[in-house]
Amino acid sequence: MLNVQDIRKDFPILNRKVNGKPLIYFDNAATSQTPQQVIDVIVSYYSNYNANIHRGVHSLSQEATDAYEKARITIQKHFNAKEAHEIIYTSGTTHGINLVANGFSSLLKKGDEIIVSALEHHSNIVPWQMLCERTGAILKVIPMNEDGELILADFDALLNEATKLVFVNHISNALGTINPIEYIIDRAHSVGAAVLVDGAQSCPHLKPDVQALDVDFYVCSAHKICGPTGVGMLYGKEEWLEKLPPYQGGGEMIAEVSFEKTTYAGLPHKFEAGTPNICGGIAFAAALDYMNAIGFENIAAYENELLSYATEQLLQIDDLKIYGTSEEKTSVISFNVGTIHPYDIGTILDKMGVAVRTGHHCAQPIMDFFKIPGTIRASFMFYNTKAEIDAFVVALKKAIMMLS
Ligand SMILES: *Cc1c(COP(=O)(O)O)cnc(C)c1O
């Protein structure tokens, strides 16, 4: 069991007021809040050992390099990657996806097929469309049902020898559905296709084991896991990372350079051109340490309690419809109330200190499926409480009264 009142003391932002009301932060699926332990690591980096890495002979540079590479090992252990050089630092999920999509440009030919799911974030659709334009590959989509679950029989039917890549998110940011990625990976491998899993929404709630999953690529962003923005990681199996060409050229990623020819550095540096987000990488590892100290089983159990409680409370409101009703889901509730525009409710909730997301959540195709312009999305983390859910429901009822 986790002690939420103790945990809340770690998050200074949770003490602030918004529009004169105590902040109720339910926009965790967009970004999570940062505990003091991680803030301290950031302050300490800039106060004590800020320097560029992998270059200097001087002590500061050594300290920064050591901390940055130690952080990579923390990340490797967290995801249970076999090798530290299979962890590539990125600026976030979007960067990781683009790195892989760009790399596959040289591996695909006309008529090859890429499968994505109907539950994808825009960042997981656009790079594949661009890849298809560059290579002549064809994009296929796994459809979903009314509960927001992928239809696996349709996925099976899409697979064939032409399938080269399958891209799916582990958990949908718009609906919270947990996708059966074990099955998807297994079936994709049976036709020789590689699988990239977008873990941006799963990593805050569970601890993926990339070796047990046998996944080829896995990406996430630190800022959704109590870390800072602008940093994330791409896990890739060594044999795949060796096959992919570098994404960007620059310093750090080369072994030797002349005007005739450049040879690239080995993994992971081949994919890490330029000065990285050094402090971000170190703080990312600190965020993982923080969450592991609480324990992902404790986090999941508590967040499931919050999800059930909030679902029950919300369903008592007339005309409230929840989108995304899979048995397997995390603490994200997307909903609408009658014909009231989500934006209007979101604006009034903000006046009462409640932060929720409104709109299409970067997942327009999902909104089109349900024939709605958007939803209100409340998403919970382990530092939220049932008392906050109660206050949110009261505020929501007030908003509905004002708007009907
Ligand atoms: C947030 C999110 C992304 C994008 O992450 P960035 O940090 O903005 O790159 C991609 N996919 C999913 C499922 C997300 O929730």
Side-chain angles (χ1 to χ4, degrees):
M1 261 312 281
L2 55 77
N3 184 333
V4 69
Q5 291 313 329
D6 277 354
I7 284 172
R8 287 176 70 81
K9 292 186 194 128
D10 293 335
F11 292 83
I13 206 169
L14 298 179
N15 288 324
R16 70 161 283 183
K17 292 202 156 103
V18 168
N19 294 319
K21 301 284 181 346
L23 167 67
I24 296 179
Y25 186 76
F26 284 172
D27 193 18
N28 293 289
T31 202
S32 59
Q33 295 303 341
T34 317
Q36 190 64 48
Q37 288 85 338
V38 174
I39 297 171
D40 288 346
V41 165
I42 296 168
V43 172
S44 168
Y45 172 81
Y46 284 109
S47 311
N48 297 308
Y49 60 104
N50 176 33
N52 213 332
I53 54 167
H54 299 146
R55 296 171 198 193
V57 290
H58 61 82
S59 302
L60 244 50
S61 172
Q62 258 321 296
E63 281 180 40
T65 305
D66 289 350
Y68 190 62
E69 291 306 322
K70 194 163 153 252
R72 194 193 304 271
I73 291 168
T74 302
I75 298 166
Q76 173 205 353
K77 296 231 165 83
H78 178 81
F79 290 97
N80 193 31
K82 204 154 123 207
E83 307 287 348
H85 61 244
E86 292 177 318
I87 302 295
I88 309 296
Y89 280 118
T90 63
S91 67
T93 304
T94 305
H95 177 198
I97 293 168
N98 278 281
L99 190 159
V100 176
N102 190 75
F104 267 87
S105 298
S106 61
L107 304 179
L108 295 183
K109 56 180 193 311
K110 198 165 186 283
D112 281 345
E113 295 180 4
I114 302 174
I115 298 178
V116 300
S117 92
L119 281 168
E120 295 314 315
H121 190 277
H122 290 169
S123 71
N124 216 0
I125 301 173
V126 183
W128 310 124
Q129 289 172 331
M130 290 164 69
L131 176 60
C132 287
E133 275 169 29
R134 286 197 298 272
T135 59
I138 301 156
L139 197 66
K140 302 266 165 109
V141 182
I142 315 169
M144 67 172 180
N145 65 22
E146 285 288 328
D147 288 321
E149 297 165 331
L150 296 179
I151 304 173
L152 295 177
D154 289 0
F155 170 59
D156 288 340
L158 289 177
L159 286 168
N160 64 72
E161 321 75 75
T163 313
K164 292 295 180 278
L165 286 163
V166 177
F167 299 99
V168 64
N169 57 40
H170 198 162
I171 293 179
S172 154
N173 71 303
L175 304 179
T177 313
I178 305 175
N179 288 314
I181 60 163
E182 293 84 356
Y183 179 86
I184 290 171
I185 292 165
D186 187 56
R187 297 292 302 135
H189 284 171
S190 75
V191 297
V195 181
L196 164 65
V197 172
D198 171 351
Q201 287 299 327
S202 50
C203 291
H205 309 291
L206 52 87
K207 189 169 170 168
D209 178 332
V210 292
Q211 287 190 77
L213 288 168
D214 195 27
V215 67
D216 302 291
F217 301 100
Y218 199 97
V219 289
C220 72
S221 303
H223 71 91
K224 293 188 180 170
I225 330 173
C226 299
T229 54
V231 65
M233 72 102 207
L234 157 68
Y235 159 79
K237 275 186 192 161
E238 185 179 278
E239 67 251 43
W240 274 113
L241 293 177
E242 293 290 1
K243 258 184 251 176
L244 295 189
Y247 178 39
Q248 288 174 321
E252 288 285 342
M253 55 75 72
I254 36 83
E256 276 180 72
V257 179
S258 71
F259 281 106
E260 289 70 45
K261 182 161 174 61
T262 291
T263 46
Y264 303 125
L267 295 174
H269 307 295
K270 173 174 134 183
F271 293 109
E272 296 181 349
T275 301
N277 185 348
I278 303 165
C279 176
I282 297 166
F284 181 3
L288 292 178
D289 284 342
Y290 178 81
M291 291 191 66
N292 278 308
I294 296 171
F296 277 83
E297 279 106 65
N298 294 330
I299 288 172
Y302 179 69
E303 287 173 348
N304 280 337
E305 241 179 78
L306 291 181
L307 174 67
S308 315
Y309 183 73
T311 304
E312 247 168 59
Q313 301 297 307
L314 287 174
L315 286 176
Q316 286 172 19
I317 295 175
D318 287 341
D319 283 340
L320 187 144
K321 180 168 163 55
I322 292 178
Y323 302 92
T325 43
S326 171
E327 283 289 316
E328 297 294 327
K329 68 177 276 191
T330 46
S331 45
V332 170
I333 305 181
S334 251
F335 65 94
N336 274 325
V337 184
T339 54
I340 306 175
H341 201 280
Y343 179 83
D344 295 336
I345 290 184
T347 307
I348 296 177
L349 286 177
D350 178 60
K351 296 262 182 301
M352 299 190 260
V354 182
V356 291
R357 181 53 56 121
T358 63
H360 54 58
H361 319 299
C362 298
Q364 196 95 57
I366 299 179
M367 302 304 134
D368 292 347
F369 174 87
F370 289 115
K371 301 189 175 59
I372 49 176
T375 68
I376 301 149
R377 182 186 68 187
S379 50
F380 316 117
M381 288 275 276
F382 56 91
Y383 43 69
N384 291 127
T385 65
K386 286 186 184 171
E388 286 181 313
I389 292 171
D390 290 338
F392 158 61
V393 170
V394 169
L396 178 63
K397 285 178 178 162
K398 267 193 208 155
I400 295 167
M401 258 183 17
M402 289 165 71
L403 292 165
S404 359

